[in-house]
C-alpha cells in the first residue's frame, strides 16, 4: 500500500475567468496583484483591460479564492479519510499477523534443539510419543 496525497493530477483543469477571480478577491488594486504575482503593474492593468491573464496567473490567484480554498479543504478531508483508512487496514493486518505468529510459535513448542524460542539453561518439554498414551491406558 502506498499513500501519496500530493499529486500533480490535483491541479484544477478549468479555472474561473480573470475578472471572476478578481471579483472573488474583492477587486484588489493592480499594484497589489502585481506584487503578489511578481509582475509589473502595467502588466496587471493590461490583463484587467483585456479581461484575460495567463493561466499561471489565474492559477496562482485561484488558490486564494473561495473556490480554491474549498478545493484545498476537500482534498485535506479526503486525504485524512484515506490516511485513517490506511492506518486501520495496517492495524488490522498487524493484529492478524500477531495472531498467526502466536499460532506458529505455539505449534513450534516441540523442544527441538534448534528452536529459536528455547532459552539457554531451560530444558525443553519432552515430546509426547504417539504410543505412550495408549500404553498408559492399558
Amino acid at each position: 500500500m502506498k499513500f501519496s496525497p500530493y499529486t500533480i493530477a490535483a491541479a484544477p483543469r478549468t479555472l474561473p475567468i480573470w475578472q471572476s477571480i478578481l471579483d472573488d478577491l474583492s477587486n484588489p488594486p493592480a499594484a497589489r496583484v502585481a506584487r503578489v504575482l511578481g509582475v509589473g503593474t502595467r502588466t496587471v492593468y493590461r490583463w484587467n483591460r483585456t479581461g484575460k491573464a495567463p493561466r499561471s496567473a489565474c492559477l496562482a490567484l485561484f488558490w486564494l479564492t473561495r473556490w480554491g480554498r474549498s478545493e484545498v479543504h476537500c482534498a485535506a478531508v479526503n486525504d485524512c479519510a484515506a490516511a485513517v483508512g490506511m492506518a486501520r487496514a495496517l492495524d488490522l493486518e498487524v493484529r492478524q499477523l500477531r495472531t498467526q505468529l502466536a499460532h506458529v510459535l505455539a505449534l513450534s513448542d516441540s523442544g527441538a534443539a534448534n528452536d529459536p524460542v528455547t532459552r539457554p539453561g531451560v530444558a525443553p518439554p519432552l515430546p509426547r510419543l504417539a504410543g505412550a498414551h495408549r500404553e498408559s491406558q492399558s
Side-chain angles (χ1 to χ4, degrees):
M1 272 187 232
K2 184 178 179 187
F3 176 69
S4 46
Y6 306 108
T7 173
I8 191 79
R13 287 183 172 78
T14 59
L15 294 170
I17 61 172
W18 178 248
Q19 190 56 51
S20 294
I21 291 172
L22 294 179
D23 288 344
D24 192 68
L25 296 174
S26 301
N27 290 305
R32 189 163 189 191
V33 173
R35 191 170 41 254
V36 168
L37 296 177
V39 297
T41 306
R42 287 177 25 179
T43 301
V44 176
Y45 280 122
R46 185 176 65 248
W47 295 342
N48 290 346
R49 188 176 59 250
T50 63
K52 294 181 182 179
R55 180 172 166 79
S56 57
C58 292
L59 187 60
L61 293 184
F62 170 76
W63 299 112
L64 303 175
T65 66
R66 63 183 145 172
W67 309 296
R69 291 191 320 264
S70 177
E71 282 202 28
V72 169
H73 177 75
C74 288
V77 169
N78 292 337
D79 292 347
C80 181
V84 167
M86 184 173 178
R88 286 183 179 158
L90 290 172
D91 182 57
L92 177 63
E93 184 179 10
V94 166
R95 283 188 277 138
Q96 289 173 341
L97 289 172
R98 284 184 176 158
T99 302
Q100 291 173 1
L101 179 61
H103 179 72
V104 168
L105 291 175
L107 291 176
S108 72
D109 195 15
S110 62
N114 62 350
D115 186 358
V117 293
T118 303
R119 293 180 304 219
V122 177
L126 295 174
R128 291 192 172 163
L129 300 175
H133 182 63
R134 283 190 219 120
E135 291 173 11
S136 64
Q137 288 180 341
S138 48

